[in-house]
Amino acid sequence: MQLPFTINQFIGVFTTYNNAIGLLPLVAYALGALAVFSAVRGPRGSERLVPVTLAAMWGWTGVVYHLMHFSAINPAARLFGLAFVVQAVAFSIEAYRGRLRFGFSLRDARSRMGMVMVAFSMVVYPLVGMLSGHGYPNGPVFGLTPCPLVIFTFGMLLLSERTMPKYLVAIPLLWALVGSTAAFSLGIREDTGLLVSALLGTTMLVTRRTTAVAEIAKTHGKSAAPRVLRTLNSR
């Protein structure tokens, strides 16, 4: 796929952007760590704190990164920015409704994978960028640029304890399909984890209900599955 910008222009946008936002990456790390702690601790409070944090990150990235910086070299960034703002609104709605529940269990494969994705976005991603020659301030930063934000988002959604609205996955998945082109076209090695996280995360999230039905049927009998699921989804 032919991109409308060069690798030097792409890296240049990150340099300009990171210099402009100053110490905000530290704030993003603090908010991200607080959201993870809240999700791991359990449902109380996380149903609003986690989606509010994600809404703030998606909104900022859409307006400040895409519309104000990336659009200088890529006209499509205006569309990307709008999509990120829509995703921010979606998380804001879920924060208002307070329907999402988060938690962590070592026995749950989704929880474990969620924490792996969170750790990748916050720690491994910037380290790979640094080793590849475009570390801070010349590369993506956690929470405030698209690719590490999408990986973090999938990780947090995998920590949700019950079935969730599937529309929350649509825009992150679409961005992963678009953004992963940088990994192949521009040699941004850390973005190879973007597509893997999106495909694996989406699969685990959309099949959660089917898995839950099978587990409940095995434990309580087939007739109990619909009743138990209704109870879980009403909490």
Side-chain angles (χ1 to χ4, degrees):
M1 179 179 179
Q2 183 65 39
L3 298 175
F5 48 83
T6 66
I7 179 63
N8 290 333
Q9 290 175 315
F10 189 56
I11 296 301
V13 167
F14 287 116
T15 305
T16 302
Y17 173 71
N18 290 331
N19 287 332
I21 64 176
L23 297 177
L24 280 179
L26 297 179
V27 177
Y29 266 101
L31 289 175
L34 182 61
V36 173
F37 174 78
S38 177
V40 170
R41 185 183 61 179
R44 185 178 296 274
S46 63
E47 73 278 4
R48 300 193 188 280
L49 178 59
V50 173
V52 162
T53 299
L54 292 173
M57 290 179 172
W58 278 82
W60 175 277
T61 303
V63 174
V64 183
Y65 174 78
H66 277 306
L67 296 180
M68 296 177 62
H69 286 83
F70 192 33
S71 61
I73 65 171
N74 187 5
R78 298 182 180 90
L79 179 60
F80 301 154
L82 176 60
F84 271 60
V85 170
V86 169
Q87 185 70 22
V89 172
F91 279 125
S92 298
I93 292 173
E94 292 304 320
Y96 174 77
R97 291 175 175 173
R99 299 186 305 180
L100 298 178
R101 297 290 185 273
F102 296 87
F104 175 76
S105 173
L106 282 174
R107 294 177 295 178
D108 181 25
R110 283 182 294 269
S111 288
R112 296 195 301 270
M113 183 54 63
M115 290 303 294
V116 168
M117 292 182 185
V118 166
F120 185 90
S121 67
M122 300 182 77
V123 180
V124 179
Y125 190 101
L127 285 178
V128 174
M130 181 179 65
L131 294 174
S132 300
H134 47 263
Y136 183 84
N138 303 315
V141 292
F142 167 76
L144 304 175
T145 53
C147 295
L149 173 56
V150 169
I151 298 172
F152 179 71
T153 298
F154 275 109
M156 295 306 296
L157 291 179
L158 284 173
L159 294 179
S160 61
E161 290 190 325
R162 67 181 190 183
T163 55
M164 48 162 242
K166 293 183 175 61
Y167 75 89
L168 290 177
V169 179
I171 290 176
L173 177 60
L174 288 174
W175 172 258
L177 297 176
V178 173
S180 60
T181 58
F184 304 105
S185 301
L186 301 177
I188 307 298
R189 297 178 180 176
E190 56 268 42
D191 281 350
T192 56
L194 173 64
L195 187 59
V196 174
S197 297
L199 295 178
L200 184 58
T202 300
T203 300
M204 298 183 82
L205 287 168
V206 301
T207 59
R208 168 176 289 171
R209 186 178 183 88
T210 302
T211 303
V213 170
E215 291 176 349
I216 293 170
K218 182 178 179 180
T219 304
H220 302 282
K222 293 182 179 180
S223 61
R227 173 175 54 80
V228 176
L229 277 175
R230 283 195 299 271
T231 302
L232 289 173
N233 290 334
S234 65
R235 289 180 183 175

